[in-house]
Amino acid sequence: MQQAKDTSKLEKLAKELETASAQEQLKLTQLQKAQDLLKQKGPQSSVSDILAICGDTLGEVLDKREGHTVTDKNIFRQHAAKFEKEFLEDMDSLGCRRPDVMTRVSEYMTEIVEYIQTIMGNKMAYESNGSVHFDTQAFREAGHTYGKLNPWAVGSAALAADDPDTRQGNGEKRHPTDFALWKAAKPGEPSWDSPWGQGRPGWHIECSAMASRIIGARLDIHSGGEDLRFPHHDNELAQAEAHYHGCGCQQWVNYFLHTGHLSIEGLKMSKSLKNFVTIREALETDYSWRQLRLMFALSPWDRPMQYGQQAADEMQAKEALFKNFFQNVAVVMRRHSTAHTSKWAEDGQEAALAKRIQAAQQRVHEALLDNLNSKAALDALLDLVKDTNKYLADRQGHPQGPPAQPFLVRKAAAYVTRILRVFGISTAATDQLGFGGEAGAAAASADGSAKYLDAFALFRDTVRSMAKGNKSSGDILAACDRIRDETMLELGVRLEDRGDESVWKLEDPDVLRQEQEAKQQAAAEQKYKKAIMAHSKKQAELTRLQKLVQLPPIAEALKDKYSRFDDDLNPTHDHQGNELEPKAAAKAKKVVDKEKKTREGLKKLESDPELLSRTEGELRQLAQDMDKVKLAAQSQ
């Protein structure tokens, strides 16, 4: 048993060392990259260039060297206000609701001081050299438990080192696990008046004091990152329980939700490692806001999550699957007629789909009851989407069979929309289906209809003109393709051919352009591959012809084996002049037959003397065509 524990401890240490090594390697690589960039810029680099390359590093150096000279509180407030504004804008861009209350520590200084005084009045904090520290031993003696969330971490030097207000220093603390509630003022830090002199709140007290001021003596749910279990959240709990000690408080928070870390290339995304991607950068490059929310919802909230291009590609595919599903349902609803039968077919497909809808609802319900398992809930929705799409494809693939039942597929789409709305992935109104705000919605309005009517009128003019000019059916079909691939694309309408009929779906024109560009790129690449294959085939043909021309006569080719041949070129004597035995003659005949077969192509050359030169010319032309196709593919 002890050996197993020791092995586990060694494995954990090895993992920690591996991670630490990777982190230091990343920092070294970043420094080397910055150094190389500065060398490239040269001595004429502008201030903005230097700050763009190594602003963070310079900031740390300047803060250590000159930070103590900063005395204007407005500097700190302006700095915080900048990031507060950006944070709210980023949350808006992700579709997050605004909070009910926004707390700023500087606006709650009176409440924080009073909170500390109450803890001191309950004999669980003490003043020392202008600072106030939480007394963890007195807290325990009063019947409380310190370190509820991560008890094995209490006293951990490594974790305490991450907390500037928990470190042992200057002999101020009575016990190593005590931590600061109020810190005496230091040069370069903002400070406020207090009964203990000028100073600032500790790292943890502000959270307990502000949350208590807004919510009260009991919080139901408290969230935060996994790395905040200890010391931050454990210290929050201790402070609040000490503050409400007189009320008998033994549990300030009912449930903690500690979220997993966001990782990039195997390392936790963090400001200290400078390997983070901002929300704005993500939205400008790889993700839409909906795709980001899909990625978060499809990852267990309490597990680490990988950020990268693979995840971006997967979310684009998931979003497209949902969008196509909603569009398919819209087509069925739009084409519904009272002339269609509403009775479910005898083949049982409607009954089966109804059961799948009920099963999906049950799966989602159970998933959300199971530790808010949003991934399992979305997986259930994706399965329902696939089942409904399969049902629609089957019904639409047999036009003479039973029609798709619009109210049934609408039920599936309504439920999917409802749950996506719960997750903030859909912005559709309660009476709408889909993601909400789909492109092309203007078509439903009088003002938005004009451009569609213009397109229809122009297409009618084109067809009428072709008919009057006795144009071929191919020309008319080409015109139909142009309105689908050009006119409708710019209007945000996707036209899909389904046998002898077409259906339309509303889509973002940018999405349609990207799809068209991807198709054109794929077609160009396929054309280039065919050109390469044609060139390779012609090259092999030319090589074969050239080898045929160079072949010597059969008798000459076999003179090292045979010295005499009959009229049919069959060997009669070996190379020494000895007459061949019947068995040897039969074997020799097979050798000659093989040589004759090899030279069969010479008959073609003899009947067509220009074949070789013509093949050489065709090869040159194919090479030129291949270069043109390659350039065209690269320009897509």
Side-chain angles (χ1 to χ4, degrees):
M1 181 66 74
Q2 184 60 42
Q3 184 178 1
K5 289 182 178 179
D6 291 343
T7 301
S8 178
K9 187 180 293 186
L10 286 173
E11 289 175 351
K12 184 178 179 182
L13 285 172
K15 183 64 176 176
E16 290 174 352
L17 284 171
E18 182 182 348
T19 301
S21 175
Q23 290 174 342
E24 294 306 313
Q25 182 60 51
L26 176 61
K27 292 177 182 178
L28 177 61
T29 301
Q30 291 170 340
L31 287 172
Q32 290 171 337
K33 183 178 179 181
Q35 187 179 47
D36 292 341
L37 286 172
L38 285 173
K39 287 180 180 178
Q40 290 176 14
K41 294 289 183 180
Q44 304 303 320
S45 301
S46 65
V47 173
S48 58
D49 286 339
I50 295 173
L51 290 176
I53 295 171
C54 53
D56 288 342
T57 304
L58 281 174
E60 292 174 5
V61 173
L62 289 173
D63 192 47
K64 289 180 181 178
R65 185 188 302 171
E66 306 293 341
H68 65 280
T69 64
V70 179
T71 57
D72 185 359
K73 283 185 182 179
N74 287 327
I75 293 176
F76 300 103
R77 178 66 202 120
Q78 290 169 6
H79 181 74
K82 173 183 181 294
F83 289 102
E84 179 183 303
K85 178 176 179 293
E86 290 184 3
F87 168 76
L88 290 174
E89 291 172 350
D90 288 348
M91 293 301 100
D92 289 343
S93 67
L94 289 178
C96 296
R97 296 175 182 174
R98 288 291 178 100
D100 295 334
V101 182
M102 175 162 287
T103 55
R104 302 186 184 109
V105 176
S106 57
E107 296 175 355
Y108 284 80
M109 210 53 62
T110 299
E111 287 81 0
I112 291 172
V113 168
E114 291 174 353
Y115 207 88
I116 295 172
Q117 287 177 314
T118 300
I119 296 173
M120 294 182 75
N122 288 335
K123 309 299 182 185
M124 296 184 211
Y126 55 90
E127 187 271 339
S128 178
N129 297 331
S131 295
V132 178
H133 294 275
F134 188 86
D135 192 334
T136 54
Q137 302 308 300
F139 181 69
R140 288 189 176 101
E141 291 169 1
H144 296 279
T145 300
Y146 179 64
K148 290 180 178 179
L149 301 176
N150 207 354
W152 48 89
V154 176
S156 167
L159 287 171
D162 290 334
D163 179 6
D165 297 336
T166 306
R167 299 174 190 144
Q168 180 86 23
N170 302 323
E172 292 183 356
K173 297 196 292 184
R174 296 175 182 173
H175 191 272
T177 58
D178 292 353
F179 55 91
L181 301 177
W182 186 267
K183 296 284 287 184
K186 291 182 180 179
E189 292 182 354
S191 61
W192 291 264
D193 290 330
S194 80
W196 316 286
Q198 285 281 309
R200 63 163 179 84
W203 180 32
H204 318 287
I205 191 65
E206 57 203 37
C207 299
S208 299
M210 292 189 297
S212 296
R213 174 68 178 80
I214 300 299
I215 299 176
R218 179 67 58 84
L219 274 65
D220 192 28
I221 299 174
H222 190 320
S223 63
E226 173 65 27
D227 53 341
L228 295 180
R229 282 178 181 271
F230 182 88
H232 185 55
H233 287 162
D234 266 324
N235 287 353
E236 272 191 62
L237 285 174
Q239 293 163 162
E241 290 176 15
H243 178 268
Y244 291 111
H245 176 71
C247 305
C249 178
Q250 291 289 328
Q251 181 172 297
W252 185 53
V253 175
N254 289 335
Y255 303 98
F256 268 97
L257 302 182
H258 288 109
T259 56
H261 291 145
L262 187 60
S263 297
I264 183 168
E265 295 181 2
L267 292 175
K268 182 179 79 170
M269 196 181 288
S270 67
K271 190 174 186 300
S272 62
L273 290 176
K274 299 179 178 62
N275 65 338
F276 61 91
V277 176
T278 67
I279 290 172
R280 297 183 183 206
E281 289 170 344
L283 293 176
E284 289 171 359
T285 53
D286 298 324
Y287 293 86
S288 68
W289 70 268
R290 182 175 288 115
Q291 290 161 6
L292 270 179
R293 292 192 75 111
L294 269 171
M295 181 178 71
F296 296 143
L298 280 166
S299 300
W301 62 268
D302 56 347
R303 305 280 179 83
M305 186 178 75
Q306 286 292 332
Y307 177 94
Q309 188 57 49
Q310 182 179 352
D313 294 341
E314 289 177 1
M315 293 312 110
Q316 289 172 9
K318 293 284 193 301
E319 182 186 39
L321 181 63
F322 278 120
K323 184 178 290 186
N324 186 58
F325 163 70
F326 291 129
Q327 291 173 339
N328 289 339
V329 173
V331 170
V332 174
M333 296 298 298
R334 194 166 60 242
R335 295 196 160 197
H336 172 59
S337 168
T338 54
H340 294 157
T341 179
S342 62
K343 182 181 179 181
W344 287 6
E346 296 298 331
D347 61 9
Q349 289 200 41
E350 282 75 23
L353 181 58
K355 288 182 179 179
R356 291 191 179 99
I357 295 172
Q358 291 177 342
Q361 293 172 333
Q362 184 63 27
R363 284 176 61 190
V364 170
H365 180 70
E366 292 174 355
L368 296 181
L369 289 179
D370 181 17
N371 197 28
L372 294 175
N373 192 341
S374 58
K375 181 183 184 307
L378 276 177
D379 286 343
L381 293 187
L382 287 166
D383 287 343
L384 177 58
V385 164
K386 293 171 185 175
D387 289 337
T388 308
N389 279 340
K390 184 176 181 298
Y391 164 78
L392 289 174
D394 187 74
R395 284 291 185 243
Q396 292 161 357
H398 299 85
Q400 305 306 317
Q405 292 298 324
F407 300 122
L408 181 61
V409 296
R410 190 189 189 286
K411 180 178 181 180
Y415 183 70
V416 172
T417 301
R418 174 190 164 199
I419 301 304
L420 291 180
R421 193 186 301 117
V422 168
F423 289 143
I425 295 169
S426 169
T427 59
T430 53
D431 59 344
Q432 291 180 331
L433 302 180
F435 283 139
E438 278 81 4
S445 70
D447 293 338
S449 63
K451 54 188 179 181
Y452 299 93
L453 294 174
D454 287 343
F456 171 76
L458 179 61
F459 176 66
R460 180 176 179 274
D461 291 343
T462 301
V463 174
R464 289 179 74 240
S465 176
M466 286 181 169
K468 290 177 181 179
N470 295 319
K471 295 291 185 179
S472 68
S473 60
D475 291 330
I476 296 176
L477 288 174
C480 293
D481 289 343
R482 283 197 297 274
I483 195 170
R484 178 195 64 197
D485 299 335
E486 298 174 11
T487 309
M488 290 293 102
L489 181 147
E490 294 302 325
L491 294 176
V493 178
R494 183 197 301 278
L495 277 177
E496 294 181 354
D497 297 329
R498 291 185 178 174
D500 293 333
E501 62 178 11
S502 299
V503 297
W504 59 265
K505 299 175 181 179
L506 300 178
E507 184 57 275
D508 186 338
D510 287 337
V511 172
L512 293 176
R513 290 190 200 99
Q514 291 170 6
E515 289 179 359
Q516 189 180 70
E517 289 170 2
K519 288 179 182 177
Q520 291 172 346
Q521 179 67 34
E525 290 174 356
Q526 184 63 28
K527 190 175 181 180
Y528 180 53
K529 288 179 182 177
K530 287 183 178 178
I532 292 175
M533 291 175 64
H535 182 271
S536 299
K537 186 177 179 181
K538 188 61 68 174
Q539 179 66 68
E541 182 182 344
L542 178 62
T543 301
R544 183 176 60 81
L545 291 174
Q546 290 171 336
K547 288 181 178 179
L548 281 173
V549 172
Q550 295 169 2
L551 285 174
I554 293 177
E556 184 179 342
L558 299 177
K559 65 182 181 181
D560 60 334
K561 293 183 178 180
Y562 311 106
S563 58
R564 295 175 64 182
F565 300 81
D566 62 17
D567 293 340
D568 293 326
L569 292 178
N570 292 317
T572 58
H573 294 73
D574 63 19
H575 69 287
Q576 294 176 343
N578 300 317
E579 186 175 356
L580 295 176
E581 296 290 338
K583 188 174 181 180
K587 184 177 180 182
K589 185 177 183 303
K590 290 181 180 180
V591 174
V592 170
D593 287 343
K594 185 177 180 181
E595 291 291 330
K596 288 179 179 179
K597 189 172 182 179
T598 302
R599 288 161 174 76
E600 282 179 355
L602 286 171
K603 296 178 182 178
K604 196 173 182 181
L605 280 169
E606 291 170 357
S607 62
D608 186 1
E610 302 297 326
L611 179 59
L612 185 60
S613 59
R614 190 168 63 251
T615 304
E616 290 173 342
E618 290 171 350
L619 183 64
R620 286 193 296 271
Q621 184 60 51
L622 283 172
Q624 293 174 7
D625 293 344
M626 188 171 64
D627 290 339
K628 290 178 182 178
V629 172
K630 181 179 180 181
L631 288 173
Q634 291 173 342
S635 65
Q636 288 293 329

